[in-house]
Amino acid sequence: MTAHEQLVARRGRRSGITTMVAIHSTALGPAVGGCRFKPYATLEEAVGDVLRLSAAMTAKCAVAGLAFGGGKSVIAPEPGRVLSPAERRDVLLDHADLIADFGGAYLAGPDVGTGPADMLVLREVSAFAFCTPESAGGTGSSSGPTAVGVLAALRAALGSADMTGRRVVISGYGSVGAHLAASLRADGADVVVSDIDPAKRAGAENQGLTWVEPEKALTLTADVVIPAAVGGVLSPETVARLDTPLVVGPANNQLTDDAVADELAARGILWVPDYVASAGGILYTLSREAEGLDHEGALARVETIEQTVGDLLSAAKANATTPLHEAAALARRRLTSGAVPRTPWPPVPRTAA
């Protein structure tokens, strides 16, 4: 993968809080990626996160066949600082100023710590934000489509849509994890969930789900493990403790290092690259907001993840490689050939759902 094109970090004039934007690639079109709002122990840690996440967005868009590049942004308040609603608004406006300075080269969406309402604040300064609330003409939260994409990837990896009796462990019971748990349980799976927030336990158990403490989630015997929380959960140490033949989920940057993909393969564990499995949200959102497709048309685009994963798995088997190797190779081919037609921004008018 190529080096980053731009990284800009600065303190907001209203809030004094550091915000940053990283653009990894605009080879296929404007860079897209979520706005992450979280404290970091150091500025270096925040920079490392925004660089890793933006590079993953380049690969995600390229493999998904989107005419967009990869970017990411971070709002990094000091650890322990609690922002009032007015202070939160100020830092969002500061961040919007920074995004506006890129002139459309970077388009922001929700990520950890932000949601559709925050994108509406960004829109007060800049048109370069998506996933605003549906009441404001946007597509709202992308959690549902992201879950649909993960389920499509899961079908390809299993070679079946039948979940009856399969044990599925979901590590992370946030918005996407909750969507996945409900869908899989409805399809007959035995679903186990975990989350660092113990307050979610009662709600999960009321849905008929089994709760397990987060530190145990990746050690349980399961047919499928779904990382649906933070990244960096698959290390040589955790891989050695996995007791499952399949790992597929929406969490970004699941591997601590790309070499972990080889360790998973050596143990006979199939890992679907995170940036392939998690592409449903961005596919849906841009299909609607940039291309003007209706709800059904955008969901049909999300379902193509099943074919994409199937093709990658077939290539990995034929070439005696890993799905990660094949996904990275596909991304490189598309980035160097410009095989995906560029999409203009601002978007075309959206068709009503």
Side-chain angles (χ1 to χ4, degrees):
M1 201 70 74
T2 59
H4 284 74
E5 294 179 7
Q6 295 188 70
L7 169 66
V8 178
R10 71 186 185 202
R11 291 190 179 276
R13 62 183 177 84
R14 302 172 185 83
S15 66
I17 292 173
T18 298
T19 78
M20 60 188 72
V21 171
I23 294 179
H24 180 257
S25 172
T26 56
L28 297 177
V32 296
C35 168
R36 182 161 293 199
F37 197 134
K38 61 170 286 188
Y40 292 85
T42 65
L43 180 61
E44 290 75 16
E45 184 181 329
V47 169
D49 206 22
V50 79
L51 291 175
R52 284 189 297 272
L53 291 165
S54 56
M57 284 303 302
T58 295
K60 179 180 292 190
C61 290
V63 171
L66 289 166
F68 290 87
K72 207 76 175 183
S73 61
V74 159
I75 297 172
E78 298 89 342
R81 179 173 176 179
V82 178
L83 301 181
S84 69
E87 289 172 324
R88 182 180 177 88
R89 176 177 168 79
D90 279 347
V91 70
L92 285 167
L93 291 173
D94 286 337
H95 195 50
D97 287 340
L98 177 56
I99 292 169
D101 286 350
F102 284 87
Y106 166 67
L107 313 175
D111 197 79
V112 173
T114 61
D118 298 313
M119 299 304 103
L120 200 57
V121 177
L122 298 183
R123 279 281 185 93
E124 292 180 26
V125 173
S126 165
F128 308 118
F130 50 88
C131 283
T132 58
E134 293 182 70
S135 59
T139 53
S141 172
S142 62
S143 297
T146 299
V148 170
V150 173
L151 293 172
L154 181 57
R155 289 195 301 273
L158 289 172
S160 171
D162 185 9
M163 295 302 301
T164 305
R166 297 184 193 267
R167 193 183 200 207
V168 181
V169 175
I170 302 175
S171 177
Y173 193 60
S175 53
V176 179
H179 276 290
L180 289 167
S183 294
L184 290 165
R185 185 172 184 276
D187 288 341
D190 170 19
V191 181
V192 180
V193 299
S194 71
D195 197 274
I196 59 172
D197 183 359
K200 295 179 180 179
R201 178 172 184 166
E205 292 180 338
N206 287 339
Q207 296 297 315
L209 308 173
T210 301
W211 181 271
V212 67
E213 294 306 312
E215 62 272 15
K216 297 180 180 179
L218 297 181
T219 67
L220 298 179
T221 300
D223 295 294
V224 185
V225 168
I226 298 179
V230 297
V233 294
L234 297 177
S235 65
E237 293 74 25
T238 56
V239 167
R241 298 165 64 199
L242 285 172
D243 188 11
T244 181
L246 175 61
V247 178
V248 51
N252 291 314
N253 292 346
Q254 293 169 23
L255 307 183
T256 55
D257 184 272
D258 283 355
V260 175
D262 297 318
E263 297 186 34
L264 285 159
R267 288 207 57 214
I269 300 171
L270 176 60
W271 179 69
V272 177
D274 41 31
Y275 59 78
V276 181
S278 65
I282 198 72
L283 265 169
Y284 179 87
T285 298
L286 295 178
S287 292
R288 295 203 70 188
E289 297 196 21
E291 298 181 28
L293 298 186
D294 62 11
H295 173 69
E296 289 75 18
L299 277 184
R301 288 285 299 279
V302 174
E303 296 288 359
T304 65
I305 290 175
E306 182 173 359
Q307 182 65 51
T308 298
V309 172
D311 291 345
L312 292 173
L313 298 185
S314 295
K317 183 177 181 180
N319 298 328
T321 60
T322 64
L324 178 61
H325 176 91
E326 297 300 331
L330 175 58
R332 285 193 298 271
R333 289 195 299 272
R334 287 181 171 168
L335 287 165
T336 55
S337 68
V340 177
R342 294 175 67 93
T343 297
W345 194 273
V348 298
R350 221 170 18 92
T351 304

